[in-house]
Every structure is written in C-alpha cells, then in structure tokens.
Amino acid sequence: MAVSPAGSRRRTEHGPQIDSTVLPTVRQVAHGIDLARAHSYSAQDDEAIAALLTAETKSPQLVRHNPAVREIVRDIQRRTPSTGRRGSQIL
C-alpha cells in the first residue's frame, strides 16, 4: 500500500481493517510501516507510534533499520512542542 499525504485519510480508515496476519512477516511489517506513515501524514501521532511498535514486535530489525521509520519518527518529533511537554501520550 503506497502512501501519499492526499490518500492518508482513506488509508487510516481502512488500513487497520486489513488482516495482515495471513501475509509473510516482511509484508506484515511493511503494512504496519505504511499504516504508521498514513497516520503520521494525518498528524495522528499516537496511532502512528502504536503501528510502529506493533511492527517492531514482529521484526525489530526491519523496523529499526528502515529509513521510512526514521522519517516518520522525525516528523513526529518535529510536531512535538519544544516546551518540554509531550506531543504523544505514548512517548
């Protein structure tokens, strides 16, 4: 599922409904990362982080070394207020 900012709303609505457990682990992780990216585009940071953490439980090495994950986390950090408050309940 390719993710663009324009289609992120539709993907955040329908993405969680997809049962990726029937797919190979690599595809499950890719789905989780794509879902996290869609949530990030919609500024739904808690949902994005939750999707990344779920993907990480399936394959930590695929998540930790993925450039898209770094971009998602960087975007979330940029939206987090610099006053010391947390922007996400999960962080």
Side-chain angles (χ1 to χ4, degrees):
M1 162 169 70
V3 180
S4 67
S8 64
R9 180 173 180 233
R10 184 172 150 241
R11 285 176 178 80
T12 58
E13 292 173 358
H14 299 290
Q17 299 171 1
I18 296 172
D19 179 18
S20 65
T21 59
V22 298
L23 301 173
T25 302
V26 173
R27 298 292 184 199
Q28 291 178 37
V29 171
H31 173 72
I33 293 170
D34 287 343
L35 185 58
R37 183 181 297 138
H39 283 300
S40 176
Y41 284 150
S42 299
Q44 299 172 348
D45 296 339
D46 288 339
E47 291 85 353
I49 293 169
L52 291 176
L53 291 174
T54 300
E56 185 181 35
T57 62
K58 295 176 183 178
S59 181
Q61 69 277 13
L62 290 176
V63 174
R64 290 181 187 154
H65 301 292
N66 189 307
V69 172
R70 289 189 203 113
E71 179 184 336
I72 294 166
V73 172
R74 191 171 28 249
D75 289 344
I76 291 170
Q77 286 178 329
R78 286 182 186 145
R79 279 193 294 274
T80 303
S82 60
T83 60
R85 291 187 321 137
R86 292 179 171 179
S88 168
Q89 296 297 325
I90 296 173
L91 290 176

